[in-house]
Amino acid sequence: MCGIAAYLGQRLAVEILMDALRRLEYRGYDSAGIATLEHEKIHCCRAVGTISVLQRKLTDSPIPGSMGIGHTRWATHGSVTELNTHPHFSMNGKFAIVHNGVVENFASIREFLSLQGYVFYSDTDTEALVNLMAYHYAKEPANATKDRFLESVRKSLLHVRGTYGIAVVCQERPREIIGARNSSPLVLGIGKGELFLSSDVASFTAHTRDAVFLNDNELVHIKNDSFAITTLDREEVEAVRQQVDWDTVAAELNGYPHFMLKEIFEQPQALENALRGRIENETATAHFGGLQMTTDELRSINRIIFCACGTAWCACLVAEYLIERFARIPVEVEYASEFRYRNAPLDPKTLVIVISQSGETVDTLAAMREAQRRGTRVLAITNSVGSTIAREANGGIYQHSGPEIGVASTKAFTSQLCIVALLALHLGRLRDLSEAEGMEIIGAFKQLPSQAKSILDQSAHIQTIAARYQNCSDMIFLGRQSMFPVALEGALKLKEISYIHAEGYPAAEMKHGPIALVAPQCPVFCLACGEENIFEKTLSNMQEVRARGARTIVVAREDSPIGATDDVIWIPPAHAVTSSILATIPVQLFAYHMGVLRGCNVDKPRHLAKSVTVE
Ligand code: AGP
């Protein structure tokens, strides 16, 4: 939920850290701060607001040093004030820390330290943690055989219950930084004579692609231009160095006004990336390299539980329709935050699949770990190589969508839909799906990128439609069958981007209560482009709301007989396995244009963050 960064090298730390924080700002942007260390003096600059506010302060009052730590905050404990802004200092000023996560037992730590005479200035859990480190440091004998700085951090973390990704500096230990993680991501970047730490590898790929992804309960001790990784139990860890394949240029705007629009328009490419190397024409099926399951194991599965949050959860709902229809396997869909506590009955023939763009969503991670703890195999569909979920899953499928910087998930979502469609084909062809049906589906996949592009070409038309509805305060999205999850996603997109209250319903459900909401100021967005057997019923539902004064926007297959509506967005006819993907693009563009027309920050919507690493 926050972004942390650290640098130790020969260059001006502030420049490196500010560049990193700009790339981390999607993780939270309530406030930001930097601390650097030079000649055993810690310099600090913090600011409420986005990174640009901090930049203005630093321009007015530069801080020196070739090492330091930085943080961009999404508030969890304590309101958005400068006092609560990271970095936080120990009372004696010797330690400075940046923290992404939640120390659940911070109150008892604060109480213990208060009894030792410690005074606190902020409302944050992080300040308790950094003072605990100062406490242990003061208690470590100066002539201790073990490294005093490292031991004070280690002992403090052993007290912690909760999650953390941290970077810590100590005034008396210039040229040293300690990082550590538990449930919140932390990655080490290895440059030439310089080292980086960050919540997200994308923040330093401009400087190096040589990375080490830390695991839970690991600490990294950076000293000058070397580092050592150990566990909380003092076991040495051999660093597994990986070459990151993301190019930072791919994370730039490239002429688009917003990352969200750029990523909406990247969908044809993202869909091609999801499909690349996974279609087997000879056997009319799909192929995955990372499932780590034999065909017999896959055939023996008699139940699949999908778990995710937010937009990824909507992708799970589409997976339910497709896998039940084409592979005839019972599917259940669970919010990860509910599944982890629900104690669902699991048996060896149950497969759990988690979907997570970031691979760090704490509820999804916890749901996966709970299923694994009970002996259930878990596969992960994720966009983030080296993420915690990717590394802890028993197997999985990478999306290869490229960096998704906009907080609202767009290309990652349609990529997830493409992958679950491929999975439905793969599982179906292991069962009763015929070769002819398989080839039909493969034909649909091959048309997908160009069909997606043809819908993107309607962006100006959709912007015109959005302008007619920009002042509405409520909106309803309707769809049946595999269009119902798209209705939910459309409502979520509109909510999170334009702050308009929006709800998604199965179209037939309107009669059971929601139709009472229908009025001229509550337009209805109707997805009548799904399975043909429910097309006319969907139109009937639309006419029911029109009869009660609602304005309607319809997404429909080109030239289909849709009857009266206020606005229409035509999309190409598509196979059931890809129609949800195509129907999503109009609702994404509609939400984007509504957000821009209403002056909202579409890349960094209020109260949101890209990766929810707190519960
Ligand atoms: C998507 O538009 C939202 N920003 C949010 O619901 C997101 O899908 C959810 O937090 C899950 O994130 P993940 O895919 O990284 O796990």
Side-chain angles (χ1 to χ4, degrees):
M1 202 66 106
C2 302
I4 73 168
Y7 172 75
L8 192 152
Q10 305 306 321
R11 293 187 278 171
L12 189 61
V14 165
E15 288 178 0
I16 304 286
L17 292 170
M18 284 303 289
D19 180 49
L21 292 183
R22 285 187 199 95
R23 297 176 195 280
L24 291 170
E25 198 170 20
Y26 69 89
R27 301 175 64 86
Y29 30 86
D30 293 332
S31 62
I34 282 181
T36 59
L37 180 54
E38 183 180 66
H39 306 320
E40 297 201 15
K41 179 171 173 33
I42 299 180
H43 308 269
C44 183
C45 183
R46 303 186 298 185
V48 171
T50 60
I51 302 294
S52 54
V53 179
L54 178 63
Q55 182 59 68
R56 285 198 293 275
K57 283 186 81 170
L58 284 165
T59 303
D60 296 344
S61 318
I63 57 177
S66 57
M67 64 169 278
I69 55 179
H71 186 275
T72 182
R73 183 175 186 237
W74 187 87
T76 54
H77 288 71
S79 52
V80 178
T81 62
E82 189 166 320
L83 264 183
N84 288 335
T85 299
H86 299 224
H88 284 289
F89 286 75
S90 56
M91 186 179 71
N92 62 8
K94 284 187 177 182
F95 283 75
I97 188 174
V98 288
H99 170 219
N100 170 28
V102 175
V103 177
E104 293 178 358
N105 59 331
F106 85 97
S108 58
I109 294 173
R110 271 179 76 133
E111 187 181 348
F112 165 75
L113 292 170
S114 300
L115 294 173
Q116 314 297 321
Y118 281 81
V119 177
F120 295 90
Y121 303 98
S122 80
D123 307 320
T124 67
D125 53 339
T126 307
E127 192 184 8
L129 178 56
V130 71
N131 274 300
L132 188 59
M133 292 174 184
Y135 167 78
H136 280 296
Y137 189 83
K139 284 176 62 64
E140 283 287 317
N143 61 349
T145 52
K146 295 186 180 69
D147 185 291
R148 198 177 168 202
F149 180 22
L150 183 59
E151 283 308 296
S152 62
V153 174
R154 191 197 308 280
K155 287 179 179 174
S156 303
L157 296 178
L158 284 168
H159 280 299
V160 163
R161 193 172 70 251
T163 61
Y164 54 82
I166 59 170
V168 191
V169 295
C170 175
Q171 195 171 357
E172 295 172 4
R173 306 295 288 267
R175 309 306 296 165
E176 293 185 46
I177 300 175
I178 291 177
R181 67 153 285 169
N182 182 41
S183 285
S184 296
L186 191 64
V187 56
L188 172 72
I190 304 161
K192 289 185 175 44
E194 54 188 12
L195 291 160
F196 307 80
L197 280 174
S198 178
S199 306
D200 184 335
V201 68
S203 72
F204 59 65
T205 46
H207 310 292
T208 180
R209 294 183 190 176
D210 189 355
V212 176
F213 293 87
L214 271 72
N215 295 300
D216 283 353
N217 301 318
E218 288 182 352
L219 300 93
V220 57
H221 189 180
I222 295 173
K223 269 188 185 178
N224 294 315
D225 58 358
S226 65
F227 67 93
I229 300 176
T230 56
T231 66
L232 276 180
D233 303 328
R234 296 194 184 84
E235 289 169 18
E236 288 189 14
V237 175
E238 186 181 346
V240 177
R241 297 172 68 152
Q242 301 185 37
Q243 289 304 310
V244 176
D245 61 6
W246 276 355
D247 185 314
T248 45
V249 175
E252 300 303 338
L253 277 169
N254 284 352
Y256 285 91
H258 302 102
F259 280 111
M260 183 178 177
L261 189 63
K262 172 175 174 272
E263 288 149 10
I264 288 173
F265 274 79
E266 283 177 340
Q267 290 183 109
Q269 182 60 57
L271 291 167
E272 286 177 1
N273 293 349
L275 293 166
R276 186 171 295 114
R278 290 171 170 160
I279 289 177
E280 284 188 3
N281 290 298
E282 304 70 41
T283 50
T285 188
H287 166 75
F288 298 104
L291 297 185
Q292 311 300 327
M293 291 178 73
T294 65
T295 48
D296 286 344
E297 286 170 332
L298 284 166
R299 282 198 185 95
S300 71
I301 296 299
N302 64 10
R303 174 179 174 230
I304 298 176
I305 300 176
F306 276 87
C307 288
C309 303
T311 285
W313 178 84
C314 294
C316 296
L317 278 182
V318 174
E320 179 179 26
Y321 284 101
L322 297 184
I323 291 174
E324 290 193 342
R325 173 171 178 176
F326 294 107
R328 311 303 298 152
I329 301 172
V331 173
E332 295 166 37
V333 176
E334 294 276 359
Y335 282 113
S337 55
E338 290 300 306
F339 176 80
R340 63 182 291 198
Y341 299 113
R342 205 166 69 85
N343 197 21
L346 301 174
D347 68 44
K349 291 187 176 180
T350 298
L351 174 65
V352 170
I353 300 178
V354 297
I355 300 181
S356 175
Q357 187 286 132
S358 63
E360 300 296 348
T361 299
V362 67
D363 283 320
T364 307
L365 178 60
M368 175 174 80
R369 287 171 172 171
E370 172 60 16
Q372 289 173 321
R373 188 187 60 76
R374 296 168 59 191
T376 300
R377 183 191 296 268
V378 179
L379 299 183
I381 296 172
T382 182
N383 190 38
S384 303
V385 175
S387 62
T388 306
I389 287 174
R391 287 182 291 118
E392 293 191 13
N394 304 105
I397 305 168
Y398 279 127
Q399 298 176 217
H400 303 306
S401 307
E404 186 176 70
I405 307 301
V407 166
S409 189
T410 51
K411 65 175 181 177
F413 177 64
T414 49
S415 165
Q416 289 159 5
L417 299 191
C418 187
I419 283 171
V420 299
L422 284 164
L423 188 59
L425 171 61
H426 180 73
L427 295 171
R429 290 286 291 134
L430 291 178
R431 289 168 170 76
D432 304 325
L433 193 68
S434 70
E435 181 180 5
E437 289 169 310
M439 285 313 293
E440 256 186 51
I441 291 171
I442 288 172
F445 285 138
K446 289 181 178 174
Q447 290 182 296
L448 197 47
S450 59
Q451 290 176 320
K453 189 179 178 321
S454 70
I455 300 170
L456 292 168
D457 292 343
Q458 296 193 62
S459 180
H461 169 57
I462 295 169
Q463 182 182 31
T464 306
I465 293 174
R468 298 189 197 117
Y469 299 88
Q470 61 179 301
N471 297 315
C472 70
S473 57
D474 302 89
M475 197 154 198
I476 291 174
F477 287 73
L478 300 180
R480 283 175 176 251
Q481 295 292 294
S482 61
M483 290 302 123
F484 166 47
V486 180
L488 292 174
E489 169 58 10
L492 176 59
K493 279 286 145 320
L494 191 64
K495 275 190 274 235
E496 63 177 333
I497 293 303
S498 70
Y499 313 148
I500 291 171
H501 171 248
E503 297 298 336
Y505 288 107
E509 269 301 295
M510 285 300 284
K511 302 187 286 297
H512 302 281
I515 202 165
L517 291 174
V518 169
Q521 68 275 22
C522 178
V524 175
F525 203 112
C526 188
L527 295 152
C529 48
E531 292 80 348
E532 292 189 8
N533 63 319
I534 42 84
F535 170 68
E536 290 180 359
K537 286 186 172 20
T538 305
L539 290 186
S540 300
N541 301 135
M542 185 180 77
Q543 294 309 325
E544 287 160 8
V545 297
R546 287 184 59 80
R548 289 162 177 80
R551 292 181 292 166
T552 54
I553 304 166
V554 181
V555 178
R557 298 176 178 210
E558 285 151 1
D559 307 328
S560 54
I562 56 172
T565 181
D566 295 281
D567 293 284
V568 58
I569 301 164
W570 298 111
I571 67 172
H575 189 283
V577 82
T578 55
S579 54
S580 299
I581 297 169
L582 296 179
T584 296
I585 298 172
V587 301
Q588 293 171 339
L589 286 169
F590 181 76
Y592 169 77
H593 289 305
M594 290 285 272
V596 170
L597 286 165
R598 290 165 65 94
C600 299
N601 186 334
V602 293
D603 280 338
K604 301 169 199 149
R606 69 185 181 197
H607 312 332
L608 292 180
K610 184 66 179 174
S611 179
V612 181
T613 54
V614 291
E615 297 177 41

